[in-house]
Amino acid sequence: MFRKKERPVSDIVMEILRAQGLETPLLQRRLINAWEETAGALAARYTGEKFIKNQTLMVKITNPAMRAELSMIRTQLKNKLNAQVGAQVIADVRFY
């Protein structure tokens, strides 16, 4: 009797999503949902809409001082968000 190669269910699900073209939208949604945890509660309070366009996370920040502060650490935020998702989803973060 031989054994089949066992694989984790998460690998199988990601393989199916990739085949259906749904992996990228799922990772993008996870990244957007990770914004509050990654940026912090204070930044989340001043955050409006968030969306991804051309591998750039666009975040509306209602407070100009907070926008300037987040702009200084945008590379760190990008790296933390990509690490949170476990894939290179975005290449930049822009605030408006």
Side-chain angles (χ1 to χ4, degrees):
M1 183 186 283
F2 73 96
R3 284 191 154 172
K4 291 186 178 184
K5 214 176 200 182
E6 294 178 6
R7 297 183 346 187
V9 173
S10 61
D11 290 350
I12 296 169
V13 170
M14 290 307 284
E15 185 178 308
I16 292 168
L17 289 173
R18 189 175 302 120
Q20 298 295 321
L22 299 173
E23 180 183 27
T24 302
L26 175 66
L27 292 175
Q28 289 176 345
R29 176 55 45 200
R30 285 182 181 170
L31 187 130
I32 289 171
N33 290 341
W35 169 257
E36 289 184 16
E37 181 181 335
T38 305
L42 184 61
R45 187 168 54 188
Y46 295 109
T47 300
E49 63 180 0
K50 306 172 289 282
F51 61 92
I52 296 176
K53 182 179 181 181
N54 297 330
Q55 290 188 324
T56 302
L57 176 63
M58 305 295 288
V59 183
K60 182 174 185 172
I61 303 294
T62 58
N63 184 316
M66 180 61 68
R67 187 179 317 122
E69 186 176 328
L70 290 173
S71 292
M72 289 188 282
I73 61 167
R74 69 182 211 199
T75 302
Q76 296 167 347
L77 286 170
K78 174 194 67 135
N79 293 337
K80 285 181 181 181
L81 286 165
N82 282 328
Q84 185 93 6
V85 176
Q88 183 70 28
V89 177
I90 58 170
D92 196 13
V93 179
R94 298 273 169 104
F95 305 102
Y96 67 98

